[in-house]
Amino acid sequence: MSKFYNEIAEKYDFIFPLSPAHQTFFADELQGHTVLDVGAATGNLTAYLSSQGYEVTAIDLSERLIANAAEKGVNVQQRNMLTIDELSTFDNIVCIGNTLPHLDSKASIQLFLQKAYGQLTQGGKLVLQLVNFEKYFAQQQDDYLGNLPLIANDKVKFERFYYFNKEGKIRFKTILDDTIENEELLQPIFADELTQWLTKIGFQAINLYGNFKKDPFDKEKSMALIVTAEK
């Protein structure tokens, strides 16, 4: 994973900017005073939440993304997300940017969710954002699952494609500026199983949205799956 993000680091903020919808969503959803930002990348969300008065701890694996965050004055620790139980407790844990599917198995994902539950204060909130993989599996042709929307502007061109492999993983192929090609393996997660895992662990008040504008989640149409849950 770090190789992929290291290679797109210089263009990351042009590919994945923090939008007004993000800001409104987190202003409405977060509570308390402390936040753990898991997969913080170049620190845009961390910086925004800090500006709103939250005490934010940020972690990521990519050295170059962390370096870019540092250039903006944002401190991001280099840490595996499965080690969050070594940290203190938080009023909020946020894991966006389709970070969760980068874990290597459903067992690892459930382990992270269990650790997140343990690291939340009572009444604390977990926020997850990932791709709605069911939409892509529904349109599968041979091993091809489809492409995510092209990101193109005067700063960057970023193409993204999904393929299914025999081990049940998704081959995530990207092309940056027509020259830099990368491929990552993702663990697909569906809304129903994620909800079941969260419920079994003990999370309550579980809400599903199709985007950060809080449109209702539709497994056939939504591009994203946003989940909020409380301890």
Side-chain angles (χ1 to χ4, degrees), residues 95-102 109 113 127-134 136 148 162 187-191 193-194 197-198 208-212 217 222-227:
C95 181
I96 65 171
N98 206 44
T99 298
L100 200 58
H102 283 281
I109 291 166
L113 297 175
V127 179
L128 306 170
Q129 180 234 339
L130 54 152
V131 168
N132 173 24
F133 292 108
E134 285 176 270
Y136 290 92
L148 278 72
Y162 281 159
Q187 173 63 59
I189 312 165
F190 291 171
E193 62 184 347
L194 182 55
W197 296 339
L198 291 169
L208 309 184
Y209 304 105
N211 52 41
F212 281 109
F217 175 71
S222 297
M223 296 295 298
L225 169 61
I226 316 294
V227 180

Side-chain angles (χ1 to χ4, degrees), residues 6 11-12 30 43 57 67 85 98 100 117 119 137 153 175 178:
N6 282 339
K11 296 291 185 78
Y12 188 91
L30 298 191
T57 299
D85 53 330
N98 206 44
L100 200 58
Y117 186 85
Q119 296 310 115
F137 276 86
N153 52 51
I175 306 173
D178 295 318

Side-chain angles (χ1 to χ4, degrees), residues 1-2 62 95 164 202 213-214 231:
M1 179 170 65
S2 58
S62 167
C95 181
F164 189 62
K213 296 179 181 179
K214 294 189 179 180
K231 179 172 179 177

Side-chain angles (χ1 to χ4, degrees), residues 25 29-31 91-93 113 116-117 120-121 123-128 194-195 197-199 202-209 226-231:
F25 179 91
E29 287 292 331
L30 298 191
Q31 53 201 18
D91 298 323
N92 308 273
I93 296 178
L113 297 175
Y117 186 85
L120 282 170
T121 55
K125 181 167 285 189
L126 175 67
V127 179
L128 306 170
L194 182 55
T195 301
W197 296 339
L198 291 169
T199 301
F203 283 100
Q204 302 178 16
I206 300 170
N207 293 299
L208 309 184
Y209 304 105
I226 316 294
V227 180
T228 64
E230 296 181 10
K231 179 172 179 177

Side-chain angles (χ1 to χ4, degrees), residues 37-107:
D37 185 0
V38 179
T42 60
N44 290 333
L45 179 59
T46 296
Y48 169 70
L49 295 178
S50 296
S51 75
Q52 300 304 299
Y54 288 100
E55 180 183 331
V56 187
T57 299
I59 65 172
D60 203 282
L61 273 182
S62 167
E63 294 178 358
R64 289 186 64 184
L65 290 178
I66 292 170
N68 286 3
E71 290 176 1
K72 295 186 285 188
V74 180
N75 178 42
V76 178
Q77 300 179 28
Q78 187 171 29
R79 177 182 287 274
N80 188 301
M81 63 193 293
L82 292 177
T83 67
I84 63 170
D85 53 330
E86 298 173 3
L87 301 172
S88 61
T89 57
F90 300 90
D91 298 323
N92 308 273
I93 296 178
V94 175
C95 181
I96 65 171
N98 206 44
T99 298
L100 200 58
H102 283 281
L103 290 173
D104 62 3
S105 66
K106 292 185 179 182

Side-chain angles (χ1 to χ4, degrees), residues 161-176:
F161 308 91
Y162 281 159
Y163 300 87
F164 189 62
N165 74 8
K166 294 179 180 179
E167 288 73 41
K169 298 290 185 67
I170 291 176
R171 292 191 298 113
F172 176 41
K173 180 180 179 181
T174 62
I175 306 173
L176 176 63

